[in-house]
């Protein structure tokens, strides 16, 4: 018969063996858990890096689109004015040199305006020489806004398209981005009307409401009901009622602020460009 001490010793040995086995199993489980944890962290790191790269590419694409829209608005408007005024100067130069000089001065002014806006845009894009971007470009001319509609209408009228500007509601300061967007809408619509040479006059309406800023540009022209056809553009550019680069850029600008833009040919003649921009984001 085994003694009591031998049974206790055997029990202790068995318990120690089980404990050692448990420790080994726990150690192996811990190693596996750590490996899985490291694999999960590595996968999350790859996913985060992929998302970061995608976000960076999207930001670059958005910035390229914004710069392209700004360049289009600046160059298209001012160059169109210069072309119209230069053509007028050429026609009247032999008989009315005074009128030709006035038209050439308008060409010069449009060129200066284009250079000023381009310097402003490039100044915002270029880094500060000392590496400090705070206040960089503060000395440059501000972006245009609704406060410059009068000057814009005067330039277009001088180029040959009379423009009437109407402001309704209670004018008040609006966010800078919306202010620039509203100005570009009017600029693009008037520039198209001037370039295509079909409009006899144009009307610009800006209405302030509690929730929205509404902008509308109407210009006269041949009626689709009379069967009148548009004068073809040698460069194939679309009109204000089409979907050219200018209007595509404007729709994207307006969409950024949760608004909508509609541009179409009017049955009674001419074109209508209408935009509604929320003043308070939902």
């Amino acid at each position: 018969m085994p003694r009591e001490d031998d049974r206790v010793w055997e029990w202790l040995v068995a318990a120690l063996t089980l404990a050692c086995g448990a420790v080994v199993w726990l150690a192996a489980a811990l190693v596996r858990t750590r490996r899985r944890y490291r694999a999960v962290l590595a996968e999350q790191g790859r996913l985060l890096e992929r998302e970061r790269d995608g976000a960076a590419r999207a930001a670059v694409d958005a910035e390229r689109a914004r710069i392209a829209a700004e360049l289009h608005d600046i160059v298209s408007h001012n160059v169109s004015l210069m072309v119209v005024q230069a053509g007028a100067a050429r026609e009247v130069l032999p008989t009315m040199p005074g009128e030709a000089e006035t038209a050439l001065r308008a060409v010069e002014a449009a060129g200066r305006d284009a250079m000023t806006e381009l310097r402003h845009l490039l100044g915002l894009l270029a880094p500060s020489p000392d590496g400090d971007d705070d206040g960089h470009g503060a000395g440059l001319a501000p972006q245009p806004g609704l406060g410059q509609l009068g000057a814009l209408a005067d330039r277009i009228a001088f180029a040959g398209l009379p423009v009437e500007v109407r402001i309704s509601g209670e004018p008040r300061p609006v966010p800078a981005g919306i202010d620039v967007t509203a100005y570009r809408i009017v600029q693009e619509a008037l520039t198209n009307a001037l370039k295509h040479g079909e409009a006899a006059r144009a009307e610009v309406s800006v209405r302030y409401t509690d929730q929205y800023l509404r902008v509308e540009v109407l210009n006269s022209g041949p009626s689709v009901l009379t069967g009148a056809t548009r004068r073809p553009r040698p460069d194939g550019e679309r009109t204000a009622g089409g979907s050219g680069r200018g209007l595509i850029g404007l729709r994207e600008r307006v969409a950024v602020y949760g608004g909508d833009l509609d541009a179409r040919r009017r049955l009674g003649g001419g074109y209508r460009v209408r935009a509604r921009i929320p003043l308070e984001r939902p």
Side-chain angles (χ1 to χ4, degrees), residues 2-282:
R3 295 182 301 174
E4 186 69 22
D5 291 341
D6 293 337
R7 287 196 297 266
V8 171
W9 178 253
E10 290 175 359
W11 181 84
L12 290 175
V13 170
L16 182 60
T17 302
L18 289 175
C20 291
V23 170
V24 172
W25 182 86
L26 289 175
L30 179 61
V31 171
R32 290 194 298 270
T33 302
R34 285 183 175 178
R35 287 176 179 174
R36 287 196 295 266
Y37 179 69
R38 290 173 180 172
V40 169
L41 288 181
E43 181 64 21
Q44 290 180 346
R46 287 191 293 270
L47 292 176
L48 289 175
E49 185 176 0
R50 190 180 307 166
E51 291 179 0
R52 182 181 60 189
D53 292 342
R57 287 193 296 269
V60 170
D61 292 341
E63 187 64 11
R64 285 176 176 172
R66 186 190 69 82
I67 295 172
E70 285 290 338
L71 288 174
H72 173 275
D73 293 338
I74 294 171
V75 174
S76 176
H77 169 69
N78 289 287
V79 171
S80 295
L81 288 181
M82 294 168 68
V83 169
V84 171
Q85 295 292 353
R90 176 179 54 80
E91 291 180 358
V92 302
L93 182 60
T95 57
M96 294 181 288
E99 296 292 334
E101 181 182 359
T102 302
L104 290 176
R105 290 184 181 277
V107 173
E108 181 182 5
R112 292 184 183 277
D113 290 342
M115 291 300 300
T116 299
E117 293 195 56
L118 287 174
R119 278 197 299 268
H120 171 76
L121 178 61
L122 297 177
L124 294 178
L125 297 176
S128 176
D130 56 4
D132 183 9
D133 287 339
D134 293 339
H136 183 49
L140 298 172
Q143 285 280 70
L146 293 174
Q148 285 75 48
L149 283 185
L152 174 62
D154 290 342
R155 290 198 302 269
I156 296 293
F158 186 79
L161 177 63
V163 180
E164 180 181 358
V165 179
R166 299 175 181 174
I167 309 294
S168 61
E170 184 178 353
R172 62 184 185 275
V174 299
I178 294 178
D179 197 26
V180 175
T181 298
Y183 178 90
R184 295 302 190 195
I185 291 170
V186 177
Q187 182 186 59
E188 178 71 13
L190 293 179
T191 301
N192 282 340
L194 180 66
K195 285 194 300 184
H196 304 141
E198 298 174 336
R201 59 185 179 82
E203 298 177 2
V204 177
S205 300
V206 178
R207 182 183 177 189
Y208 293 85
T209 66
D210 293 338
Q211 297 179 338
Y212 295 97
L213 176 69
R214 300 178 183 270
V215 179
E216 184 178 69
V217 181
L218 303 175
N219 63 268
S220 60
S223 172
V224 297
L225 299 177
T226 63
T229 57
R230 293 176 293 174
R231 177 169 56 88
R233 295 281 298 163
D235 55 1
E237 183 175 351
R238 296 180 182 268
T239 62
S243 57
R245 176 180 293 274
L247 287 177
I248 291 175
L250 290 179
R251 287 192 176 94
E252 293 174 350
R253 285 175 183 246
V254 172
V256 167
Y257 300 101
D260 53 78
L261 182 141
D262 178 73
R264 64 183 63 195
R265 200 169 190 192
R266 303 164 63 197
L267 290 177
Y271 292 90
R272 182 196 72 196
V273 178
R274 178 182 294 171
R276 184 186 65 168
I277 308 174
L279 294 179
E280 296 182 1
R281 297 299 300 272

